[in-house]
Amino acid sequence: MSATIHTTNPATGQPLAAYEAWDAARIEAAVERAHAAARAWGFVPVTERATRISHLATVLRQRMEALAHLVVTEMGKPVGEAEGEVSKSALTAEYYAEHGPGILADERVDIDGAEAWVAHEPVGLVLAVMPWNFPVWQVMRFAVPSLMAGNGVLLKHASNVTGSALALQELFVEAGFPEHLVTTLVIAEGDVPEVTAGLIEDDRVAAVTLTGSNRAGAAVGSAAGRAAKKSVLELGGSDAFVVLDDADVEVAAAAAVRARFTNSGQSCVCAKRFIVAAPVADAFTAAFVAGVEALRIGDPREGDTQVGPLARDDLRAAIQRQVEESVAAGARLLTGGKPLPGDGYFYQPTVLADTGLGMPAFDEETFGPLAAITVARDDADAVRLANATAYGLGLSIWTADPDRGVALARRITSGAAFVNAIVASDPRLPFGGTKRSGYGRELAAAGIREFTNTRTYWVTA
């Protein structure tokens, strides 16, 4: 079970580092230490946990430049976005340091003749299978509330961001958390399915969370079900960005560019299907294409770069296939549509028009700089098109009448609905999906309680 993990700089295609993958004995030792650390941490008072979480925010800000540099070199995110990822993680730590003790406090219930309350107690050691597209934020989004709740973390990060995973492990220790409480497992790609399944079955692992593909989510969810363990899955997305006939077209188009091409389009919560009312379709399309063509593509280390490379060459190939097959099925290519020549895994920001059911750009998750525009006849048609997907993560609706936007949103299935705003996660609000976008919630009170034992106490004199 041992091999070597190689990481590559996606902006140059050149090798970065090599890591020795762990064998079974090393994994076993790590799990045993993590389990012991988690048991001890569960008895630490919640106020002390909050103090460590607060210090974590400080350390994140102190290490922002180094962490951002590592993220940029491992997966190609523009440096400004990488720094934003670290900053958002720090803000989330501050949120839970302030609000976590109150969220986790015992809830008294009036019962005649008895004293009763509901407690939210740690479950123990949680396995986290995390993706490469937000190497810091995805981990912190889960780990901060989970640690606040008194749990330990076994982190199985994506292999192409192994350096980031190990850096995060060190960062938690620097912030004052016990050694081994957050443990990064270095597992060769070919061993991941077998090792993950074994960890889920392990009695020392209490629960599992995964952010990733539907295939990986199905495997983890089914393994957790067989083991009768709690799981949270945050999977793919094909979010609709709906522009109604009364929307401010220029404002909506500018927001659409940001919504689609953040992280070079490599985000489950990026808007992907742009469903536009017929009366404003031409004006929106023209403004949107102009905004896309003005995006600055280049070296992700440069502060003015807006679109960097895709994280891997196979991801670029997948986008090329989706473009070619969609055009063959009748979509119109308005801009982009080709890999950029030279080093690295760059792809032109691309816009397709006349897309619809039966085309990969509409039916599949497009994980890269590809936007699909579809024209809706009226509000009912917009609802039909928005719902015509296996996914249900986020939804963005643009209109001059917010009440109309909310009413329309209630007819479309998603985990979050934003009116006149871009879909984004916020530590104050629950985040998660429906349908094939997964289940369970992260962030806010719902997120911190996902991995607690909601326990009833009843005491009579």
Side-chain angles (χ1 to χ4, degrees):
M1 186 202 288
S2 185
T4 301
I5 295 172
H6 297 275
T7 58
T8 301
N9 185 333
T12 65
Q14 297 301 307
L16 283 174
Y19 303 89
E20 181 184 356
W22 294 3
D23 60 16
R26 191 169 181 183
I27 293 171
E28 165 60 28
V31 173
E32 182 60 31
R33 289 192 297 264
H35 179 247
R39 291 189 63 181
W41 180 248
F43 291 104
V44 172
V46 67
T47 52
E48 184 176 336
R49 291 183 227 149
T51 298
R52 308 282 181 90
I53 295 290
S54 179
H55 187 50
L56 174 65
T58 301
V59 174
L60 278 164
R61 289 198 171 92
Q62 291 171 344
R63 298 289 175 263
M64 180 181 296
E65 185 175 347
L67 280 174
H69 174 75
L70 189 53
V71 167
V72 170
T73 55
E74 285 195 316
M75 59 76 56
K77 184 191 302 287
V79 64
E81 294 184 13
E83 291 174 349
E85 183 177 338
V86 179
S87 178
K88 188 172 183 177
S89 298
L91 286 170
T92 299
E94 289 171 341
Y95 169 83
Y96 278 111
E98 179 180 355
H99 298 284
I103 295 171
L104 296 168
D106 292 348
E107 301 169 17
R108 298 287 166 172
V109 181
D110 291 332
I111 301 289
D112 290 341
E115 183 181 4
W117 65 94
V118 177
H120 300 282
E121 300 176 349
V123 296
L125 186 60
V126 182
L127 172 64
V129 182
M130 294 288 108
W132 49 264
N133 57 334
F134 290 88
V136 176
W137 167 240
Q138 294 280 15
V139 173
M140 292 297 175
R141 192 172 73 187
F142 150 74
V144 168
S146 192
L147 292 167
M148 184 71 238
N151 299 312
V153 173
L154 274 180
L155 172 61
K156 181 349 202 143
H157 217 326
S159 60
N160 60 325
V161 291
T162 297
S164 296
L166 294 169
L168 290 176
Q169 176 181 275
E170 295 172 0
L171 185 140
F172 280 104
V173 174
E174 183 179 351
F177 289 88
E179 195 172 3
H180 309 303
L181 184 63
V182 177
T183 294
T184 289
L185 303 173
V186 183
I187 303 172
E189 198 68 31
D191 296 331
V192 169
E194 180 182 353
V195 171
T196 301
L199 290 171
I200 293 171
E201 293 174 2
D202 195 310
D203 288 340
R204 294 166 296 183
V205 173
V208 59
T209 182
L210 175 140
T211 299
S213 69
N214 289 90
R215 184 176 62 179
V220 165
S222 60
R226 289 193 299 270
K229 292 180 180 178
K230 179 68 176 288
S231 62
V232 170
L233 303 180
E234 201 272 278
L235 307 177
S238 187
D239 288 3
F241 187 105
V242 179
V243 183
L244 300 183
D245 54 14
D246 62 349
D248 185 320
V249 170
E250 294 294 331
V251 171
V257 175
R258 297 194 305 275
R260 182 65 197 103
F261 295 97
T262 294
N263 203 31
S264 305
Q266 299 171 114
S267 171
C268 56
V269 79
C270 274
K272 298 182 174 72
R273 298 175 302 132
F274 297 84
I275 299 168
V276 188
V280 296
D282 289 345
F284 173 86
T285 299
F288 183 51
V289 170
V292 171
E293 291 179 339
L295 288 169
R296 293 184 294 275
I297 310 164
D299 187 337
R301 297 172 299 177
E302 300 295 333
D304 62 351
T305 294
Q306 295 171 292
V307 178
L310 276 75
R312 302 191 311 263
D313 201 23
D314 63 303
L315 298 169
R316 182 169 64 168
I319 288 291
Q320 183 64 34
R321 175 192 63 80
Q322 290 172 320
V323 169
E324 291 175 353
E325 292 182 2
S326 297
V327 169
R332 282 189 299 122
L333 177 63
L334 301 183
T335 189
K338 294 180 180 179
L340 287 170
D343 296 332
Y345 312 137
F346 292 87
Y347 195 87
Q348 295 174 336
T350 300
V351 180
L352 296 178
D354 298 340
T355 66
L357 287 165
M359 298 181 185
F362 189 94
D363 294 344
E364 301 175 8
E365 181 178 29
T366 50
F367 219 67
L370 166 60
I373 297 176
T374 305
V375 177
R377 295 186 302 273
D378 50 29
D379 285 10
D381 197 34
V383 169
R384 178 187 68 83
L385 290 165
N387 279 325
T389 177
Y391 299 100
L393 189 55
L395 166 69
S396 183
I397 296 177
W398 295 78
T399 173
D401 182 354
D403 290 339
R404 179 187 180 192
V406 171
L408 199 74
R410 294 187 185 279
R411 298 162 61 189
I412 300 170
T413 301
S414 68
F418 285 61
V419 177
N420 296 329
I422 295 170
V423 177
S425 57
D426 184 298
R428 298 166 294 185
L429 294 167
F431 178 81
T434 60
K435 302 192 321 189
R436 291 191 66 198
S437 290
Y439 54 75
R441 292 296 179 264
E442 296 179 309
L443 301 177
I448 197 172
R449 289 174 178 169
E450 282 283 9
F451 293 116
T452 62
N453 173 23
T454 301
R455 189 176 186 187
T456 296
Y457 285 83
W458 180 298
V459 180
T460 53

